[in-house]
Amino acid sequence: MVYRAFRFGSWLARAVPVRVSYRVAAFFGLLVYWAWAGGRRRCIRNMTHVTGGDGARARTLARRSFSNYAIYLVDFLRFTTVTPEEVRERVVFDEWDRLEAQRAGQGIVFVTMHFGNWDLGAAALAEHGIPISVVADTFGDPRLNDLVLGARRHLGMEILAAERMGPSILRSLHRNNVVAMLIDVPQEGPGLEVQFFDGPVAVADGPARIALRTGAPVVAVLLPRIGRSERVLGRIAPVAFVPSGEQERDVRELTQATMTALEAMLREHPDQWYIFRNLWVADRKGGR
């Protein structure tokens, strides 16, 4: 069922003019906002942390987040037909020299979030000649796997399966690749607690551990959409960190520094953050 829906959605997104698709998607996102009570409640709760307790603004941001996510899905469904020329046109980024300076033989650990259009940023790296490896979940249905992961491979990404990513990530960094990882995934276990906006969140410590093990620098990355256009703005923030040699302390402090860098960028466009599950520790204890 999901596979057939994906195939139909992919065909429809390519058949309809993109601006029409965006308008329809934004409206559909609002319908999902009102229909999905649990997702709506959790998104508002997350945005309330971002707004410092301003409930009215949090609800506005949550509604926009649902619409923006639906627009992102249109782009994702159209990825199989995106050309290198379109990637160059759609990604606004002028810090290639700075990025190359970070990538000095040991690769880079890119840490990003479900925000803006992160896939398009990875495509821009590949088109620029920087090898990019992306940690991604796989699906039980092999046909769906081929479609979803194939869309990302079409954009030049190497896909690293999340369930067996350890050795693959190390090999990619040793080849001087950029390895991109999403950090805003609520952890099934306790996770590593760090401060984010107004309280502790539990996130994966994998990016920090891998960076410390390999010596690769960490760069926080977000790609906000420019208005309702197809273009995105590449934003990077290299995370300055000097290890102390105490492993657990370094893992915690590097993770905290990364989340602080992401927070500063996220504040500018919080409505482009797609977070429909509880991330803050206090909210997860509530269980809804």
Side-chain angles (χ1 to χ4, degrees):
M1 180 66 178
V2 176
Y3 166 76
R4 290 176 180 171
F6 188 95
R7 286 290 301 270
F8 176 73
S10 183
W11 171 83
L12 189 63
R14 293 193 301 268
V16 176
V18 65
R19 294 193 180 278
V20 175
S21 296
Y22 282 174
R23 287 196 292 269
V24 173
F27 178 72
F28 180 75
L30 282 177
L31 292 181
V32 175
Y33 171 84
W34 290 113
W36 185 21
R40 179 178 70 246
R41 181 173 57 248
R42 289 187 291 270
C43 189
I44 292 172
R45 188 179 294 143
N46 289 325
M47 292 300 175
T48 301
H49 292 283
V50 173
T51 63
D54 185 338
R57 183 164 179 253
R59 288 189 290 274
T60 298
L61 292 176
R63 287 195 298 271
R64 292 176 180 170
S65 173
F66 272 76
S67 288
N68 284 329
Y69 183 61
I71 291 170
Y72 158 75
L73 289 178
V74 169
D75 283 339
F76 184 79
L77 291 168
R78 296 174 64 245
F79 276 161
T80 54
T81 60
V82 171
T83 65
E85 292 74 22
E86 287 178 292
V87 172
R88 285 195 295 271
E89 172 63 25
R90 292 174 61 184
V91 179
V92 179
F93 184 68
D94 60 3
E95 297 190 73
W96 293 110
D97 290 343
R98 185 185 185 198
L99 190 60
E100 284 286 11
Q102 290 285 314
R103 178 174 163 260
Q106 74 280 52
I108 302 175
V109 176
F110 262 22
V111 181
T112 188
M113 309 176 85
H114 292 87
F115 180 100
N117 193 333
W118 65 95
D119 285 304
L120 197 55
L125 284 173
E127 196 281 326
H128 196 76
I130 299 176
I132 172 78
S133 304
V134 177
V135 177
D137 291 322
T138 55
F139 303 90
D141 187 335
R143 299 173 303 170
L144 185 60
N145 235 13
D146 290 342
L147 278 173
V148 174
L149 301 186
R152 289 183 166 131
R153 291 190 181 102
H154 169 76
L155 295 174
M157 307 176 210
E158 176 191 28
I159 306 300
L160 307 179
E163 58 268 23
R164 53 180 185 276
M165 64 180 181
S168 300
I169 286 179
L170 297 178
R171 286 193 294 270
S172 293
L173 291 172
H174 288 322
R175 296 197 305 269
N176 203 25
N177 288 16
V178 169
V179 172
M181 307 176 72
L182 291 160
I183 201 168
D184 59 339
V185 180
Q187 300 300 290
E188 294 183 3
L192 178 63
E193 291 190 16
V194 293
Q195 288 294 122
F196 192 55
F197 287 95
D198 65 351
V201 295
V203 298
D205 60 6
R209 289 190 184 278
I210 289 165
L212 290 167
R213 178 173 175 179
T214 62
V218 175
V219 175
V221 184
L222 291 182
L223 288 110
R225 184 183 299 278
I226 301 172
R228 283 291 174 87
S229 73
E230 294 182 80
R231 305 177 79 199
V232 299
L233 176 64
R235 297 286 313 280
I236 64 171
V239 179
F241 183 76
V242 178
S244 69
E246 298 179 26
Q247 183 179 15
E248 296 308 312
R249 172 185 170 185
D250 287 345
V251 168
R252 180 174 299 279
E253 291 187 356
L254 179 52
T255 303
Q256 179 64 73
T258 303
M259 294 300 290
T260 299
L262 287 167
E263 178 183 322
M265 291 189 288
L266 193 152
R267 284 183 182 276
E268 299 177 17
H269 302 278
D271 59 335
Q272 295 193 41
W273 186 28
Y274 320 129
I275 185 71
F276 310 127
R277 294 180 288 178
N278 290 327
L279 187 62
W280 273 263
V281 173
D283 299 334
R284 293 180 65 196
K285 289 177 181 177
R288 294 195 307 159

